[in-house]
Amino acid sequence: MPTVETVQGAVDADELGLVLVHEHVRFRDDAVAAQWPERYDEDAEFDAALEAVAAAKSKGVQTIVDPTAMFGGRDVRFMKRVADQTGVRIVACTGIYSYDHLPHYFENRDVDAMADHFISDIERGVQGTDIRAAFLKCAADAAGVTENVEKIHRAVARASVQTGAPIMAHSMPSVGTGPRQVEIFSEEGVDLARVQIAHCGDTDDLGYIEGLIGSGVYVGLDRYGLEMYLPIDRRNATTAELLRRGHAERLMISQDYCATIDWFPPDAAEAFMTSGAIRNWSMTLVFDEVVPSMREQQVMDDATFQTIFVENPKRWLTA
Ligand SMILES: [Zn+2]
């Protein structure tokens, strides 16, 4: 039986059980948090993470895949505390979450040097611990696949080829980043069956999504609750149609929930709720509203549920 690295060590892949494949127990800027730690309430962050993960656990979730990378405040010790206290496994990543910016450190080092950092996280351990990263993360957003973004993608790809670790790539369907991201992975010799293009559910352009699925990758319908990108009824219509068309084995359903996130001051975060830009965003929304809707539309029986929340994450995480 293949094993998967979690923040509590390696487990048999079969033990992962029910998986939420894209959630963040905390999201904050690495540099700001390091320079002005007093601006953050670590106890409150920890409590929020516990609350969110416990809620997911109450829906049967046994494992959370947390793709928080560099620039998202990745902290595997924090993740391990959350896993220890909740009894929910957390799977950590390595990689760089940037839409373009790179520190001079990486600007002046080549792709292979960057990849070596990722490989070290996968083979030896992260942040001075023996906790190993299980997958690789990169991102392309509104700016598209810039030179720096391409460099990160190639480094992630080379680390994947060398270690066998799978890849999750943040994408932005509104500017069509997905196909170029897949193309780079393909050029670098990555097994596309180990690639997950996240945030494809931000569009209901079925042709775009099916084009990606056709290349052999997984697609993330993983931002349920973020109405600003696409409201839930349109997300559900897309998910239902993809299921009707027989794509269950390529879909990843999640919420990209952040138990805490420092991107906005508190009043702006409040305004997102009241304006409806965010609605019922949580680590349980897919079980509260999405699965019931799919069941009602008769596109998700027990076997399909198992495929999406158990088998697909397991298959993606293992060779
Ligand atoms: Zn995310």
Side-chain angles (χ1 to χ4, degrees):
M1 174 51 57
T3 59
V4 173
E5 294 293 335
T6 78
V7 295
Q8 295 164 310
V11 299
D12 281 350
D14 277 338
E15 280 180 50
L16 296 174
L18 190 61
V19 179
L20 276 174
V21 82
H22 194 139
E23 312 294 338
H24 302 273
V25 295
R26 180 171 70 182
F27 206 104
R28 62 187 204 177
D29 185 78
D30 295 343
V32 181
Q35 299 302 323
W36 292 280
E38 75 281 2
R39 299 282 172 158
Y40 296 81
D41 182 341
E42 183 129 4
D43 291 338
E45 290 171 334
F46 186 61
D47 288 346
L50 290 184
E51 194 184 333
V53 173
K57 187 182 186 183
S58 77
K59 301 292 180 179
V61 172
Q62 292 157 280
T63 302
I64 286 173
V65 175
D66 183 334
T68 307
M70 179 180 176
F71 295 136
R74 182 182 64 153
D75 179 346
V76 292
R77 291 180 180 86
F78 183 87
M79 289 181 189
K80 182 169 189 300
R81 284 170 60 211
V82 175
D84 285 345
Q85 194 128 338
T86 58
V88 175
R89 292 184 192 87
I90 297 178
V91 177
C93 76
T94 182
I96 301 178
Y97 177 80
S98 172
Y99 301 165
D100 186 52
H101 170 75
L102 269 185
H104 298 308
Y105 180 98
F106 281 124
E107 259 182 2
N108 300 319
R109 286 169 172 81
D110 66 13
V111 172
D112 289 319
M114 187 188 280
D116 184 59
H117 290 69
F118 304 153
I119 292 165
S120 169
D121 280 357
I122 293 163
E123 293 187 340
R124 288 185 282 283
V126 177
Q127 296 168 337
T129 71
D130 57 5
I131 296 170
R132 294 183 188 188
F135 67 104
L136 292 136
K137 178 77 186 289
C138 54
D141 202 85
V145 181
T146 66
E147 211 173 301
N148 284 340
V149 164
E150 179 172 340
K151 183 175 183 176
I152 298 167
H153 278 61
R154 291 197 185 278
V156 157
R158 289 177 199 181
S160 174
V161 169
Q162 191 167 324
T163 63
I167 297 172
M168 183 193 291
H170 166 112
S171 74
M172 191 172 218
S174 63
V175 293
T177 61
R180 176 65 186 141
Q181 294 173 280
V182 170
E183 189 175 59
I184 294 169
F185 297 142
S186 185
E187 286 168 6
E188 294 287 341
V190 171
D191 176 3
L192 294 181
R194 308 298 307 289
V195 172
Q196 179 178 164
I197 303 296
H199 311 331
C200 294
D202 286 357
T203 182
D204 54 4
D205 180 343
L206 287 160
Y208 174 85
I209 298 173
E210 283 193 309
L212 289 169
I213 290 173
S215 70
V217 301
Y218 294 94
V219 295
L221 311 174
D222 50 17
R223 275 178 152 179
Y224 270 100
L226 294 176
E227 303 273 297
M228 70 257 259
Y229 300 117
L230 200 70
I232 192 165
D233 52 339
R234 289 172 66 188
R235 288 181 189 273
N236 275 345
T238 307
T239 302
E241 185 55 27
L242 289 168
L243 288 171
R244 259 179 230 112
R245 295 185 186 185
H247 298 308
E249 290 189 1
R250 292 287 120 193
L251 308 183
M252 299 288 199
I253 297 180
S254 211
Q255 295 124 157
D256 199 10
Y257 183 66
C258 302
T260 53
I261 181 165
D262 69 349
W263 285 12
F264 304 98
D267 52 333
E270 198 66 35
F272 281 133
M273 310 273 222
T274 50
S275 70
I278 289 172
R279 195 187 63 80
N280 290 351
W281 194 38
S282 71
M283 282 194 199
T284 64
L285 177 60
V286 299
F287 305 108
D288 297 333
E289 297 188 31
V290 180
V291 172
S293 165
M294 295 307 125
R295 297 241 191 235
E296 201 175 280
Q297 297 179 71
Q298 299 186 324
V299 291
M300 189 183 284
D301 58 14
D302 291 348
T304 308
F305 179 89
Q306 195 79 5
T307 296
I308 289 172
F309 292 103
V310 178
E311 296 302 327
N312 290 355
K314 181 170 73 179
R315 201 185 316 109
W316 170 67
L317 282 166
T318 54

